[in-house]
Amino acid sequence: MFQEFKLNHLEHFPKELEALLNRQRMGIKSITDSDATDYNTVLKPLQDMDEELSLFFTPLSHLNSVMNSEETQKAYEASLPLLSKFSSEMAQNVALFNKIKELKAESEEAKKVVENDVRDFVLSGVNLPEKEKKRMEEISLRLSELSNQFSQNLLDATNAYELVIEDEKDVAGMPQTDIDAAKEEIEGKTVYKFTLQIPSYLAYMTYGPNREYRQELSKAYNTRAPQNAAVIDEILSLKQEKAALLGYENYAHYALETRDAAKQEDVIRFLDELADAALPQAKNELEKLREYAKRTDGIEDLAGHDVAYYGEKLKKEKFDFDDTMTKPYFEQSKVLEGMLAIVSELFDVTFRPTDVSTWHSCVKAYDIYEGDKLSGRIYFDLEARKEKRGGAWMNDWETHYTDTHGKEHLPSAFVVCNFAPTTEKVPSLLRHDDVVTLFHEMGHAIHHLFGKCSERSVSGINGVAWDVIEFPSQFLENFAYEAAILKRFGFHYETSEPIPEVLVKKIKETKNFQAALGILRQVEFSLFDFKLHQKLYQGEEVQRLLDAIREKTSLIKPPSYNKFQHGFSHIFGGGYAAGYYSYKWAEVLSADAFFECIDEEEGFDKEKAKGYKVYILANGGAREMSELYQEWLGRKPDVKSLTRLYQIA
């Protein structure tokens, strides 16, 4: 059965973790000292240990992200060195490596586990001399500390800033729900408080009428955590050193060993070609925006902090549409219920609310059934709060697999977002972008939850190449634009009126509004990340690299104070280093699969959805994604599907 989400006595956590790791050390030693030479007595017990450690540690790392406090920080930071040391010991355990590389696995899944383990041992430095091994261990520990430090600096800086607006005219014309969310009484006076939390920040950047305040907010957002400059330098230096120790020319080269992309040149070429394809349309989109801002407000020098504001106004003029028109129809609880109903129908599962312990009162948990059989559990934590780091993500906890004793384990996962919180006056209402985000994270979740592998190391999202991991999430999000899907949950939160046909059409019509500018922005992030890891950049060299890339991708020159990199948590606080390109790389698969599965009436072709579940989701990382895709559709994905998705010629 499932683990209970429970964490008491955080002050004892590091000691309990150390005791668990010591027990596992003894277990590993008994394997290496034994005569065991078959898969079931070597790798099966090791996977049991991996699951045991994940069950114990994931709640703390999750809590540190969603209910951040001094207690969670302290316990988490004290745990990182213990985990890093254990991980390095494991990765450089020559006796274990020698045992694993001689194993003869019978099933295809087991063969893949052995293949991956041998590769990962080599990439972790098992063949290095003792001195270099020790250095690899030090690097791993320091990188985990720096990653946490980067994220904590960013969270602290985000929470430290607020913009207090006293004049009502400076919020005039904004959506009432955003005004209500910002409104506060201070000493008997009504003020409007905006922060760098994403729902609040985006509300003013998109609808805030005062240009100076937009600039002020933008500057605060893009100058957060200046101390991260030093963190970035150290991270880059250590990653380059790690790659060099293992015989790679740079960290990007090292990273591609576990990716779908074969060569660095392939990644750069793909991104350059995508930028070239988008550039003419992006210039045209920007020109129209400039013309609009000049015509309506006499703006001669359109700046970065104007783009969202005038983009929203132009979209409204062109399509007679903006997000405020649909927001009342996307009440968070109804969207969630509707999405679960759609996933149930498509993939033949049932979600039943379950009353279990969670970390916050707004968290909703569901048990998943296939027929009458319990098959998984999912938790949703969807509203923004100060203790939660920004962004949206899926975190896996338990994994589907069969353990050493033949017992089947069931998977569980957390879906975390930062949507506008419920207030006394209004429930949590989602922008359509938020609806897309929820579908995206659910795509990740079902990739993990619908995994059917017997071997933990390749089940669910485990063992899936990093640059195709976004395929299932992007695939599902594409359906959040389809009329047949939106009508399932689009009901006015006050009147229960269904979302009007005209609004549903406008969501689809406006989907690719300024799409080329959006692609250029993603290419900019991707090129910056990948090139940053192709040689060692330090200090001002980091900014100069970004500026050089922006010569092509950024059609509005950002101000000199813009230090985007200090907040680029995907690559410095997460796992996307030399891998941000994977969003676009995987989108070739997701776009191609989307066009294969689209059905105007139902939203989805149910027969194809069944195949998608059986071939793509169920197999997790047991085989290469390109193989699974070929088996599902009998062909390779068409690269042109990506530009077709964005309607770029």
Side-chain angles (χ1 to χ4, degrees), residues 18-124:
E18 191 163 30
L20 170 60
L21 295 175
N22 284 335
R23 287 197 301 276
Q24 292 206 351
R25 285 183 175 99
M26 289 168 63
I28 291 162
K29 189 172 188 311
S30 71
I31 291 171
T32 54
D33 287 351
S34 73
D35 297 328
T37 55
D38 70 290
Y39 184 89
N40 288 330
T41 51
V42 177
L43 268 174
K44 271 291 188 187
L46 287 174
Q47 290 179 86
D48 288 350
M49 290 181 206
D50 284 344
E51 183 73 358
E52 180 187 34
L53 185 52
S54 174
L55 294 181
F56 182 78
F57 185 70
T58 299
L60 174 63
S61 72
H62 179 65
L63 209 61
N64 195 49
S65 294
V66 297
M67 291 296 290
N68 188 272
S69 66
E70 279 186 37
E71 291 79 17
T72 65
Q73 285 176 44
K74 199 171 173 184
Y76 186 70
E77 285 166 11
S79 299
L80 285 180
L82 303 176
L83 278 174
S84 184
K85 186 171 190 297
F86 178 77
S87 175
S88 294
E89 284 171 17
M90 272 282 285
Q92 296 175 10
N93 186 326
V94 177
L96 189 59
F97 173 60
N98 288 336
K99 215 172 247 294
I100 289 174
K101 71 180 181 180
E102 297 302 323
L103 291 178
K104 296 289 182 282
E106 291 181 11
S107 73
E108 289 304 311
E109 278 183 32
K111 286 175 185 171
K112 182 68 170 165
V113 173
V114 173
E115 180 190 316
N116 287 355
D117 274 18
V118 170
R119 176 200 69 195
D120 292 344
F121 264 109
V122 173
L123 290 177
S124 297

Side-chain angles (χ1 to χ4, degrees), residues 526-544:
S526 302
L527 281 171
F528 172 58
D529 161 48
F530 202 76
K531 289 187 174 185
L532 193 62
H533 292 95
Q534 285 190 299
K535 70 174 199 179
L536 181 57
Y537 292 87
Q538 294 283 281
E540 280 305 306
E541 293 172 339
V542 174
Q543 186 65 49
R544 282 198 289 273

Side-chain angles (χ1 to χ4, degrees), residues 129 164 269 305 404 407 416 456 631:
V164 178
R269 188 185 311 112
H305 53 265
T404 308
K407 180 190 169 191
V416 183
R456 184 192 183 276
E631 198 170 308

Side-chain angles (χ1 to χ4, degrees), residues 397-410:
W397 185 16
E398 296 157 285
T399 298
H400 179 279
Y401 81 112
T402 305
D403 68 20
T404 308
H405 309 291
K407 180 190 169 191
E408 182 186 20
H409 290 242
L410 300 180

Side-chain angles (χ1 to χ4, degrees), residues 34 37 61 75 82 100 102 235 297 324 335 355 425 432 470 527 560 583 604:
S34 73
T37 55
S61 72
L82 303 176
I100 289 174
E102 297 302 323
I235 287 174
D297 283 344
T324 60
V335 174
D355 185 17
K425 291 189 175 181
H432 181 257
E470 294 296 333
L527 281 171
S560 57
Y583 279 102
F604 240 120

Side-chain angles (χ1 to χ4, degrees), residues 14 31 41 61 82 85 112 123 126 133 179 242 344 374 378 413 439 443 447 460 485 544 550 564 589 603 610 627 648:
I31 291 171
T41 51
S61 72
L82 303 176
K85 186 171 190 297
K112 182 68 170 165
L123 290 177
V126 73
K133 274 188 191 171
I179 292 173
K242 179 179 181 177
S344 299
L374 183 64
I378 186 166
F439 271 68
H447 194 188
I485 302 291
R544 282 198 289 273
R550 282 173 168 168
F564 158 77
L589 288 162
K610 184 180 172 185
E627 278 179 47
I648 290 172

